Amino acid sequence: MAHARILVADDEKSMRELLAIMLRTDGHEVTVAERGEQALDLVRREPFDLVITDVRMPKVDGLEILKVVKEAAPDTAVIMISAFSSIETAVEAMKLGADDYISKPFK
């Protein structure tokens, strides 16, 4: 995916910044959201090619973001990331349309 518009939503600053730096280095346009509510607002206002979201965030979690993305823009790819992964959450995310589910830490 060359020069994609990517949204990174993660309440963990270091993860958000690391992903943004890596993706920008590869030539992508990256927008970051530190809260789920902020990610929802961005998804409703702007088109993204890819959304990378943490599963666990206060108030609005990654599964809610996934639902809104798939309703607003079904062709947008969504990758779920989690330090607290479980088979149940992974299965739910995939049923809701996630393209991938990755456990933290990852390479």
Side-chain angles (χ1 to χ4, degrees):
M1 185 183 299
H3 306 290
R5 291 198 75 231
I6 302 172
L7 172 62
V8 175
D10 197 316
D11 59 331
E12 184 182 330
K13 183 179 180 181
S14 61
M15 179 59 65
R16 199 171 55 242
E17 290 179 354
L18 173 67
L19 287 170
I21 289 167
M22 291 172 40
L23 294 165
R24 286 181 181 131
T25 299
D26 282 344
H28 303 292
E29 180 182 336
V30 180
T31 302
V32 296
E34 63 185 68
R35 298 180 327 276
E37 309 92 83
Q38 183 183 16
L40 288 181
D41 183 51
L42 287 163
V43 166
R44 289 179 176 132
R45 290 186 296 124
E46 301 178 36
F48 292 97
D49 300 303
L50 171 63
V51 174
I52 301 172
T53 181
D54 189 9
V55 173
R56 279 193 179 177
M57 290 187 286
K59 295 185 183 177
V60 175
D61 67 12
L63 292 175
E64 184 62 29
I65 294 167
L66 171 61
K67 289 176 195 174
V68 171
V69 168
K70 290 302 176 177
E71 288 171 8
D75 292 335
T76 299
V78 180
I79 297 174
M80 311 295 292
I81 56 176
S82 180
F84 305 97
S85 61
S86 71
I87 291 174
E88 294 81 14
T89 306
V91 169
E92 183 178 0
M94 299 309 272
K95 284 182 179 178
L96 291 172
D99 293 87
D100 207 344
Y101 186 98
I102 302 170
S103 297
K104 294 178 189 177
F106 52 86
K107 293 184 180 184

